[in-house]
Amino acid sequence: MTDQSNADIIITKVDEAPELASASLLPIVSSFAAAAGVSISTRDISLAGRILAAFPEYLSEAQRISDDLAILGDLVKTPEANVVKLPNISASVPQLVAAIQELQSQGYAVPDFPEAPVSDAEKAARAKYDAIKGSAVNPVLREGNSDRRAAKAVKAYAQANPHRMGDWSADSKTRVASMSGGDFRTNEASVTLAKAAVAKIVLKAADGSEHVLKDSVSYPAGTVVDATYMDVAALQDFLTAEIDRTKAEGVLFSLHLKATMMKVSDPIIFGHGVRAYLAPVFAAFGDKMATMGVNPNSGLGDLLERVKSDAQIMAAIDACMAARPPLYMVDSDRGITNLHVPSDVIIDASLPALIRAGGKGWGPDGKEHDAVCVIPDDSYAPVYDETIKFFKENGKLNPATAGTVQNIGLMAQKAEEYGSHPTTFEIAQAGVVQMILDDGTVLHEHAVKAGDIWRSASTRKAPIEDWVNLAIDRQRSEGCRAIFWLDETRAHDAELIAYVKPILAAKGVAHLFEIMAPREATRASFETITEGKTCIAITGNVLRDYLTDLFPILELATSAKMLSIVKLMQGGGLFETGAGGSAPKHVQQLQAENHLRWDSLGEFCALGESFKFLADTKGNEKARVLGNAIDAATQGVLDHDRSPGRKAGEPDNRDSHYWFARYWAEAMAAQSDDAELAAHFAPIAKALAEKEAAILAELHAARGQAVDTGGYYHNDPAKTAAIMRPSATMNAIIG
């Protein structure tokens, strides 16, 4: 493996389970690639790496690292880009603080996270940390739109080996609750700019003062610019009513947000959820808890840690929770509730899991119960609401016969809400927020109160046009039903429809596409796949994120095995390894039992596409042979059930990598397109087969024992390599 920036393929260094798996898989990939003259390098976009890159002035020369995210951000805007991106942490504040503390304990003198910055140094540090938290990576790298679908081998395996699905009953009490007014959906306004403009966002307060919230926001011509706000008084009333209603229904209370991606708005909304659930405690002890550093936005776990020494507050909390509806649990064995940490319950993973389980969630008693799923903003809540209604009416999905939903997602150039972080504000005082263009035009205007959450998002013309054309190409390839998930009654979607329809008409393909609001599109898609057919969901950025977990988790049992291709707008390629998250529980299990259940199948799929893309762009036909052989190896892993098991004692990630390497080598040795490569890999394949018993014995020698990776967010490479590459026999064969 090389560290040169001009390598043929760059594989990202990330966090948690995918990074542990990389310690085993990357040496295999680098060795096999070298035989075809393909160079592999890595770039560090992990949370710890991003922190270290942001504060070189606090570090010794030996500790400093390059800003690899910025380097990759430039690369993806070029035709030469060929990047395999593994899942990385989209950090909440508690995760960010934990990573900072771990780095400090390792001798990296990065500054503390300033909760309430006062000095210039604290304000500067906070600004840097704010740029790191949340989804700092994806908007930078995704300079193209998304093509996500189940690889054929993966889908065929799921149908032949259907996973367990929970049973749905028509009388299930599980439901979705969202606001009927005062939310982002209701208050949204949207305009398409006829010409390029620069805007400023101003709060004109009721007391006559004027505050510039953001200046010099530039938009090219044709940009769709949205603005909206959440009425926090309406939010509080909604949460209070839903807590009471949930109590009366006798089911679990759960709050589902995306605090990692919507890193300004959703932690605030989460905090209101914590405050509403513990309303009597905040009424009695709010001021005192504030002096103890309590911030409800950080979650119930942080709150309990700060007040645990105050018996009076703890008694009030116990009494309040006893009177409230039981909480949906993230980990009932450890007492981790839905409200403990804002990043613990991520809507696109938490709700599909609950739906797959028949609408059941784990309660504090360690048993499964129906649940109320609170999604305050109504923009995308109808997707989950309609899904639950569909299964109540029709029963669970049958993975053995279900078709598949592919996705074409609009996400390039920080499209839509996921690009709104720099223009989202918690309003300090009542007044009017205006978005004013450089020619004096007031583009958007909202009357707001103190505490309201105002935001603006934008979507540029070129990504929209690229998205529509990508959808046309995919529909042409599949010849199946294709639906634009757009609601003509929603301000933003109406502007997109004004782009979509003329392009479809000009290409003569309007009759091949449907346009439906998300609720209707959800039902239509489930009806289609229930018939065993393929459907393409053509969606915006948030729905891309939600649906590429929802449908794969129901179809395949996981979203980590999705084929995820980002066709970069300048001609490069970004190959993502599914949408499986970073799996913190997998890390905990490895450290406790030396068993890593992370499945690298998504990495296998992405690598195959990356090698074939390299062949197309650089004319390296040996790379194509490698890519085709990866497809065969992936099929072999599936056909022979070589994926990791969940429990210690079963084969794990390292076993699957041995089999992947063996099947890859065997496919290379057997292929007839390149005799030189076949000759190179024949002895490798032979050795891996002949030494199977020895290799597997070495891989399993220390299983069941606790291991030390030298860190959680910033592990020790030598310790991790020793854990993840324990077979000297295999290491010698691979080289």
Side-chain angles (χ1 to χ4, degrees), residues 2 6-9 29-40 611 614 618-624 626 668 674 676-677 680-681:
T2 177
N6 61 349
D8 293 313
I9 297 173
V29 175
S30 298
S31 174
F32 280 46
V38 175
S39 57
I40 305 287
F611 277 104
L614 181 66
K618 293 194 175 180
N620 183 341
E621 287 304 311
K622 291 182 182 295
R624 192 182 312 281
L626 279 174
M668 289 297 296
D674 191 305
E676 181 183 5
L677 285 176
H680 174 85
F681 281 98

Side-chain angles (χ1 to χ4, degrees), residues 40 238 441 471 512 547:
I40 305 287
F238 162 74
T441 300
L512 299 175
L547 299 191

Side-chain angles (χ1 to χ4, degrees), residues 341-589:
V341 183
S343 58
D344 267 0
V345 181
I346 299 176
I347 183 171
D348 46 311
S350 59
L351 269 172
L354 181 142
I355 292 166
R356 181 192 161 192
K360 302 291 186 180
W362 293 100
D365 59 359
K367 298 178 181 178
E368 288 187 308
H369 301 275
D370 291 343
V372 171
C373 305
V374 174
I375 309 171
D377 180 39
D378 195 44
S379 295
Y380 304 107
V383 170
Y384 298 111
D385 184 53
E386 194 64 24
T387 299
I388 288 171
K389 289 178 178 176
F390 182 85
F391 288 128
K392 284 183 183 180
E393 296 168 13
N394 298 282
K396 62 187 178 184
L397 189 73
N398 182 358
T401 59
T404 188
V405 177
Q406 303 180 355
N407 182 269
I408 299 296
L410 170 60
M411 68 177 190
Q413 299 179 356
K414 305 178 183 179
E416 302 184 323
E417 295 98 320
Y418 281 176
S420 66
H421 312 138
T423 49
T424 300
F425 309 96
E426 187 173 23
I427 302 302
Q429 58 190 119
V432 176
V433 175
Q434 293 182 331
M435 176 172 271
I436 306 171
L437 302 185
D438 45 1
D439 65 1
T441 300
V442 177
L443 190 67
H444 294 302
E445 182 176 76
H446 291 102
V448 292
K449 301 182 296 299
D452 287 351
I453 307 165
W454 187 97
R455 77 174 183 218
S456 178
S458 65
T459 314
R460 299 186 175 203
K461 178 180 179 179
I464 297 171
E465 293 176 339
D466 178 81
W467 169 63
V468 179
N469 287 318
L470 186 59
I472 293 170
D473 290 344
R474 171 105 323 254
Q475 195 284 329
R476 183 184 299 118
S477 175
E478 295 291 339
C480 66
R481 188 175 196 179
I483 303 171
F484 281 90
W485 293 47
L486 298 171
D487 183 353
E488 63 183 4
T489 69
R490 180 181 171 186
H492 169 79
D493 287 9
E495 297 299 309
L496 289 191
I497 291 171
Y499 269 111
V500 170
K501 285 185 174 180
I503 296 173
L504 296 180
K507 294 291 182 72
V509 294
H511 63 289
L512 299 175
F513 293 86
E514 301 167 81
I515 298 176
M516 295 184 186
R519 181 182 296 280
E520 289 69 29
T522 299
R523 181 164 288 265
S525 298
F526 276 114
E527 289 172 347
T528 300
I529 65 172
T530 298
E531 296 174 359
K533 299 177 181 177
T534 297
C535 186
I536 303 171
I538 309 155
T539 71
N541 205 349
V542 175
L543 278 177
R544 168 202 58 80
D545 205 11
Y546 290 7
L547 299 191
T548 54
D549 273 304
L550 175 61
F551 288 107
I553 285 173
L554 298 178
E555 292 178 30
L556 313 174
T558 177
S559 57
K561 300 177 182 180
M562 291 288 281
L563 183 60
S564 184
I565 301 170
V566 181
K567 296 187 176 181
L568 299 170
M569 292 175 63
Q570 298 304 316
L574 177 68
F575 305 93
E576 298 191 87
T577 61
S582 300
K585 288 184 180 180
H586 294 195
V587 182
Q588 294 160 10
Q589 186 179 24

